């Protein structure tokens, strides 16, 4: 087992001999000095894993020694020890980035806890996390045999995300392979659940069903909007998975309290063209095609599929006989994000402000197309990390701070998630077949096996448009992606291990929807 070196500086160091012997018996090597100057000299000459500094020493004080040590070795953990409980001393020490703060008289367990928290933190967290997940693994796996409903599947997905993030914080991520196997099994069972239930959700008014994309604004947004009260901001971050939300949540909750964290299910296909248009129109795709033919853009058209979200939203509001004043903003570039920040005060005059942020979608596409981004985000953990870094340095965070300071309510969601695809699935289509890797629409789709797919031979039962009488849809499930037999190796090499959406998986379909209240309480 690794031995750690501790430097302890106190002008009454002899009185601390029992504590030093206690730590040495626990396996720590202690160097004892009785002045701040000696502490600084020792740090300059030798390596230590942690430093204990008495705050009130004659000559160079503990706070002064702390400043010198941090300037030499900024990452060396320092524990400040003092008899004083003065707030100013505490603030000075904390401001100098101490690792812990102990108040005399000391007791052995208090000291040992501080040392373990600093030096053995990762090992202890790893051991405890791995043990707890091993215990939970059996419970989750056994639940797959039950007849789960949509709420229970959402709960399983939340549990798997929780453990994925917990394991991600362990030293060697030794349980990651086991977790990934359990996620794969969960998605296999989830595919069967969707195959058995999705069509009835859309067609049977009496069946138990989750909230779907087209119901989202009626059930979670419009009921929060009240004329004459504070604005409601509805933020849709394109392509945001639940695990990515958990990464950006700490940044958002600097300014907001979470009032409610819920889920809804994305419609199929889980793509921006279908799912996000469904959110803003309040309609399913075939209903959009029939009721708003001037706005709907089909698969056979070259025009962008999401150029009419503002109009869809406006017509949904009109259809609901609402006279709310609203705005719509789509942010695709940093400059647009900065313009949004500058415009926040003007938006406070609206009842509802809808903001679509496209960064995460652009990140997933960039990761597919650019080798450098693939290197930066080789797996889910790194992908989450980039999302976290983005929010922390994005104009969006400035906008959220201003929204919170105004006392407005915030609702955060997305239109669909993504999954990292690994297994190619051969499919044949004519030249009019769409290019998405997770679903195909066409009249002559050819494939050898139906076992791992979700088929929609009658698109009208899925409320999907038909280009002609023989049009059908097929959806990839789990971590598959479609590849054509010609150029097969190119497709496999280029798209394997990329993040895609459009098909059936927990990651793509189970979507977070979070309602937040300002911490400023205006």
């Amino acid at each position: 087992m690794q031995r750690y070196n501790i430097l302890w500086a106190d002008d009454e160091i002899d009185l601390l001999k029992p504590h030093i012997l206690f730590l040495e018996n626990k396996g720590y090597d202690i160097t004892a000095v009785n002045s701040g100057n000696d502490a600084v000299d020792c740090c300059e000459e030798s390596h230590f894993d942690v430093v204990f500094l008495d705050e009130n020493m004659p000559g160079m004080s503990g706070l002064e020694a702390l400043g010198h040590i941090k300037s030499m070795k900024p990452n060396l953990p320092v524990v400040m020890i003092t008899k004083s409980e003065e707030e100013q001393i505490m603030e000075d020490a904390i401001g100098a980035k101490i690792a812990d703060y102990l108040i005399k008289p000391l007791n052995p367990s208090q000291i040992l806890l501080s040392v373990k928290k600093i030096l053995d933190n990762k090992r202890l967290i790893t051991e405890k996390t791995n043990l707890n997940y091993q215990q939970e693994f059996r419970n989750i796996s056994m639940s797959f045999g039950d007849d789960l409903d949509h709420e229970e599947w959402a709960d399983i997905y939340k549990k798997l995300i929780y453990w994925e993030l917990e394991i991600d914080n362990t030293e060697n991520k030794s349980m990651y392979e086991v977790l990934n196997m359990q996620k794969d099994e969960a998605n296999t069972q989830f595919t069967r659940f969707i195959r058995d239930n999705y069509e009835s959700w859309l067609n049977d008014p009496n069946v138990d069903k989750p909230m779907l994309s087209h119901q989202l604004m009626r059930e979670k947004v419009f009921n929060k909007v009240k004329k004459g009260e504070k604005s409601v901001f509805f933020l849709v971050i394109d392509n945001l998975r639940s695990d990515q939300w958990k990464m950006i949540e700490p940044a958002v909750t600097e300014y907001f309290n979470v009032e409610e964290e819920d889920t809804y299910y994305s419609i199929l296909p889980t793509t921006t063209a279908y799912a996000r248009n469904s959110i803003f129109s309040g309609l399913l795709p075939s209903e959009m095609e029939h009721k708003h033919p001037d706005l709907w853009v089909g698969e056979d058209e070259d025009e962008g599929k999401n150029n009419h979200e503002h109009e869809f939203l406006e017509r949904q509001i009109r259809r609901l006989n609402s006279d709310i004043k609203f705005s719509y903003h789509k942010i695709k570039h940093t400059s647009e994000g900065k313009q949004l920040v500058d415009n926040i005060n003007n938006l406070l005059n609206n009842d509802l402000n809808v903001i679509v942020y496209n960064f995460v979608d652009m990140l997933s596409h960039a990761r597919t197309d650019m080798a450098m981004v693939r290197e930066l985000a080789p797996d889910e953990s790194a992908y989450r990390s980039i999302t976290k870094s983005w929010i922390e340095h994005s104009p969006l965070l400035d906008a959220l701070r201003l929204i919170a300071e105004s006392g407005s309510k915030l609702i955060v969601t997305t239109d669909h998630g993504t999954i990292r695809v690994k297994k190619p699935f051969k499919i044949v289509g004519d030249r009019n077949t769409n290019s998405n890797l997770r679903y195909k629409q066409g009249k002559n789709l050819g494939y050898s096996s139906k076992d791992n797919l979700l088929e929609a031979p009658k698109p009208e039962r899925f409320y999907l448009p038909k280009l002609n009488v023989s049009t059908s849809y097929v959806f990839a499930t789990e971590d598959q992606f479609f590849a054509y037999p010609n150029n097969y190796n190119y497709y496999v090499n280029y798209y394997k291990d990329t993040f895609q959406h459009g098909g059936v998986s927990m990651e793509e379909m189970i979507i977070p929807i979070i309602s937040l209240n300002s911490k400023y309480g205006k």
Side-chain angles (χ1 to χ4, degrees), residues 190-209:
F190 181 75
T191 294
R192 293 174 184 166
F193 169 71
I194 293 298
R195 189 182 285 123
D196 291 342
N197 292 279
Y198 183 76
E199 190 174 318
S200 64
W201 290 348
L202 300 179
N203 294 280
D204 186 346
N206 299 315
V207 73
D208 179 46
K209 68 190 75 174

Side-chain angles (χ1 to χ4, degrees), residues 57-214:
M57 291 183 287
M60 183 185 290
S61 71
L63 282 174
E64 291 172 326
L66 173 64
H68 288 291
I69 292 170
K70 283 293 182 182
S71 66
M72 284 189 297
K73 299 183 177 180
N75 297 318
L76 176 59
V78 177
V79 177
M80 187 62 69
I81 301 173
T82 179
K83 293 178 182 177
S84 173
E85 296 186 37
E86 287 186 32
E87 186 176 355
Q88 184 60 48
I89 293 175
M90 292 183 187
E91 289 182 352
D92 287 345
I94 293 169
K97 299 181 181 178
I98 58 166
D100 205 352
Y101 192 96
L102 303 179
I103 297 176
K104 293 180 178 181
L106 301 173
N107 65 67
S109 59
Q110 177 188 17
I111 299 166
L112 184 62
L113 176 62
S114 182
V115 170
K116 283 187 172 293
K117 186 167 63 176
I118 296 167
L119 299 180
D120 289 340
N121 181 271
K122 287 187 176 180
R123 178 182 63 81
L124 295 172
I125 288 175
T126 296
E127 290 175 0
K128 184 67 174 175
T129 298
N130 289 349
L131 177 62
N132 289 346
Y133 174 61
Q134 288 167 14
Q135 294 170 343
E136 184 73 357
F137 174 89
R138 184 172 180 272
N139 295 331
I140 294 173
S141 292
M142 287 182 63
S143 69
F144 296 157
D146 299 336
D147 186 16
L148 302 174
D149 62 22
H150 60 87
E151 290 182 348
E152 290 167 326
W153 269 113
D155 287 340
I156 282 178
Y157 183 43
K158 288 177 184 175
K159 286 179 183 177
L160 290 171
I161 288 172
Y162 171 80
W163 286 112
E164 184 170 13
L165 298 180
E166 289 291 296
I167 292 169
D168 207 18
N169 287 325
T170 60
E171 270 189 303
N172 51 21
K173 300 179 175 57
S174 58
M175 295 301 293
Y176 224 90
E177 187 174 347
V178 176
L179 175 77
N180 283 330
M181 290 172 57
Q182 188 165 52
K183 280 175 62 182
D184 290 344
E185 173 62 17
N187 263 325
T188 299
Q189 300 300 328
F190 181 75
T191 294
R192 293 174 184 166
F193 169 71
I194 293 298
R195 189 182 285 123
D196 291 342
N197 292 279
Y198 183 76
E199 190 174 318
S200 64
W201 290 348
L202 300 179
N203 294 280
D204 186 346
N206 299 315
V207 73
D208 179 46
K209 68 190 75 174
M211 177 170 49
L212 297 168
S213 304
H214 64 297

Side-chain angles (χ1 to χ4, degrees), residues 417-458:
T418 61
I419 186 168
R420 184 155 63 115
V421 295
K422 302 170 187 173
K423 300 170 188 169
F425 188 100
K426 287 185 180 180
I427 193 166
V428 176
D430 62 26
R431 61 188 182 87
N432 295 318
T433 303
N434 64 303
S435 60
N436 187 283
L437 299 184
R438 291 281 291 167
Y439 83 95
K440 293 296 180 185
Q441 176 211 57
K443 60 181 181 179
N444 292 307
L445 299 177
Y447 41 90
S448 59
S449 170
K450 303 178 181 180
D451 294 343
N452 296 323
L453 302 178
L454 173 62
E455 295 179 296
K458 297 180 179 179

